[in-house]
Amino acid sequence: MSILSRMQDFDYEQVVFCQDASSGLKAIIAIHDTTLGPALGGARMWPYASEEEALTDVLRLARGMTLKSAAAGLDLGGGKAVIIGDPRKDKSEALFRAFGRCVASLGGRYITAEDVGTTVQDMEMIYQETDFVTGVSPAFGSSGNPAPVTAFGVYQGMRAAAEKAFGTPELRGRAIAVQGCGNVAYHLARHLHEEGARLIVTDLYEDNVRRFVQEFEAEAVAPEAIYDVQADIFSPNALGGILNDETVPRLRARVVAGAANNQLADARHAAALVERGIVYAPDFVINAGGVINVADELYGYNRERVMKKVETLYDKVKHIFAVADREGITPHDAAERLALERIEAVRRVRKRFLADPKHALRGLSARRT
Ligand code: NAD
């Protein structure tokens, strides 16, 4: 299918391919929808096997950001970037500065941040070239690494889902299978361990797992085995597409709640989870802590305000379950419906014309001076 036809599918506004031979940069920026404001979404660095795979990922992630920011009540649109490369081998100052210039060229229509494979230090190199980057270190008045805030939100959403499944939000004594031992998972595991949950973890890298075993008394399993673990809760914190035809029947948990974006391979897998009696906390709702954190930089960053907002994700998830039950739809569809309704409502309000000083109407005022 051609790229333009793929963009028509969910009405993407713009897709930008970035190439810089001197630094080796190969990146794609997708802007899905800017009805609510500038498209904000992280830059993912991953060794994609093909351009096709990278394009599919960036398109899915960008639309996910539109839904996420809309559901979180933020005045932001949805966008995302992918940098094709291995974050363990291919990073350089030149690469991130070249990427920063591509972001700058969009004039604020896209604002970047961290995602899988990128760090605060990478954002600082991007910041050398553009202001349209968030999640730079607090030394620059920015919000720093969003992962701890994302994790706090996921923890709140997980408690709400546990309440729905087990009648209590308490996680003490629960067995929780954690897929991915990265940035967000680390801070999430700290909350879970402190509350007295038992953790079973996995990652592609041995050193990432070791930290969880040592600090949180976690039990380690092989990456493929995580779906079969006898646990109360399955928490996906690695990559997307992991709830699919092959894995959903294998899950033994009663709750799925994690930070990973695009957990469902397809929307129909939300129904497959319901059929199996599994409570699924929609990913783009419970992992919104990160974007709530970086979005606050647009108003002058205030950590206290951010944490108060992120804490409300507990009630938001409960509200989504209530709407899903009332309407007889999946929690995923309920969350998507609420997000799309908000975008439509704002789109309608914005149709009213407001004079802009740069608009041709300035000629009318100029006649009197
Ligand atoms: P990260 O790169 O720090 O962690 C991801 C971890 O998953 C890595 O350790 C990686 O080795 C591991 N992994 C990858 N594939 C795996 C597999 N098949 N099995 C087991 N482990 C695997 O990234 P992160 O920032 O912690 O983000 C984790 C997820 O949460 C991503 O999907 C990201 O898009 C999403 N997310 C992150 C934030 C944030 O604030 N960082 C916010 C919202 C959503």
Side-chain angles (χ1 to χ4, degrees):
M1 200 196 279
S2 80
I3 295 173
L4 282 167
S5 336
R6 292 181 66 172
M7 288 173 70
Q8 278 171 346
D9 256 359
F10 285 109
D11 203 11
Y12 288 84
E13 290 179 13
Q14 195 174 6
V15 175
V16 182
F17 286 75
C18 314
Q19 189 286 138
D20 177 68
S22 67
S23 63
L25 175 76
K26 287 188 175 58
I28 312 175
I29 300 172
I31 296 178
H32 173 242
D33 187 295
T34 56
T35 307
L36 297 177
L40 193 151
R44 173 170 296 192
M45 186 165 185
W46 193 254
Y48 293 100
S50 64
E51 268 174 42
E52 174 60 31
E53 200 186 288
L55 178 65
T56 302
D57 207 28
V58 79
L59 291 175
R60 276 169 60 89
L61 290 163
R63 178 168 183 265
M65 288 308 300
T66 301
L67 296 174
K68 187 186 303 197
S69 287
L74 300 171
D75 278 341
L76 287 174
K80 200 90 181 182
V82 294
I83 299 173
I84 303 173
D86 185 340
R88 291 199 168 210
K89 293 201 289 242
D90 300 330
K91 286 189 179 182
S92 68
E93 179 188 350
L95 180 109
F96 284 107
R97 292 185 75 143
F99 176 70
R101 293 185 77 82
C102 294
V103 172
S105 74
L106 290 167
R109 280 178 47 73
Y110 168 69
I111 302 171
T112 198
E114 290 91 344
D115 192 64
V116 174
T118 56
T119 63
V120 172
Q121 289 70 40
D122 304 333
M123 295 308 119
E124 274 167 24
M125 291 185 264
I126 295 170
Y127 186 50
Q128 305 275 87
E129 300 295 340
T130 180
D131 281 346
F132 301 124
V133 52
T134 54
V136 181
S137 90
F140 292 99
S142 191
S143 62
N145 179 8
V149 186
T150 303
F152 181 63
V154 173
Y155 174 56
Q156 296 303 332
M158 186 185 284
R159 290 175 63 246
E163 186 170 356
K164 170 99 175 127
F166 309 118
T168 165
E170 272 190 36
L171 300 174
R172 162 175 286 282
R174 298 259 170 242
I176 306 179
V178 179
Q179 180 181 46
C181 295
N183 261 311
V184 179
Y186 177 79
H187 295 279
L188 175 63
R190 191 166 39 76
H191 288 297
L192 301 176
H193 179 63
E194 276 168 14
E195 198 181 322
R198 187 166 66 79
L199 303 178
I200 304 104
V201 304
T202 195
D203 196 282
L204 299 179
Y205 296 98
E206 178 74 33
D207 47 342
N208 292 354
V209 172
R210 203 173 310 125
R211 209 160 58 129
F212 282 54
V213 173
Q214 285 166 354
E215 292 188 36
F216 309 127
E217 300 165 62
E219 179 194 332
V221 296
E224 246 320 290
I226 198 74
Y227 303 105
D228 307 307
V229 163
Q230 182 70 58
D232 299 301
I233 299 172
F234 173 61
S235 183
N237 296 286
L239 299 186
I242 44 79
L243 299 171
N244 53 44
D245 292 337
E246 200 257 316
T247 59
V248 171
R250 286 166 63 186
L251 293 180
R252 301 165 81 177
R254 295 267 314 280
V255 167
V256 173
N261 281 309
N262 298 331
Q263 293 170 26
L264 301 165
D266 187 278
R268 72 191 155 82
H269 295 111
L273 288 166
V274 171
E275 267 163 38
R276 290 217 49 221
I278 299 172
V279 176
Y280 169 65
D283 50 7
F284 65 84
V285 178
I286 74 166
N287 72 13
V291 73
I292 293 172
N293 191 52
V294 293
D296 205 69
E297 291 186 33
L298 273 62
Y299 313 103
Y301 186 67
N302 181 313
R303 182 77 162 202
E304 205 180 318
R305 178 169 62 205
V306 166
M307 295 314 268
K308 276 204 182 118
K309 249 188 185 172
V310 175
E311 206 168 351
T312 66
L313 290 178
Y314 175 79
D315 288 326
K316 191 154 268 171
V317 173
K318 283 180 69 163
H319 176 62
I320 285 163
F321 289 147
V323 172
D325 286 346
R326 195 181 65 218
E327 306 287 327
I329 56 178
T330 67
H332 174 81
D333 285 347
E336 191 164 313
R337 190 182 287 185
L338 292 172
L340 294 176
E341 278 173 5
R342 176 167 178 249
I343 294 171
E344 262 327 293
V346 173
R347 198 193 306 275
R348 282 196 295 271
V349 167
R350 293 224 173 131
K351 76 175 197 253
R352 183 181 296 260
F353 175 79
L354 289 181
D356 169 333
K358 285 196 220 114
H359 193 272
L361 285 184
R362 71 183 183 275
L364 297 182
S365 334
R367 290 179 308 189
R368 297 190 181 277
T369 54

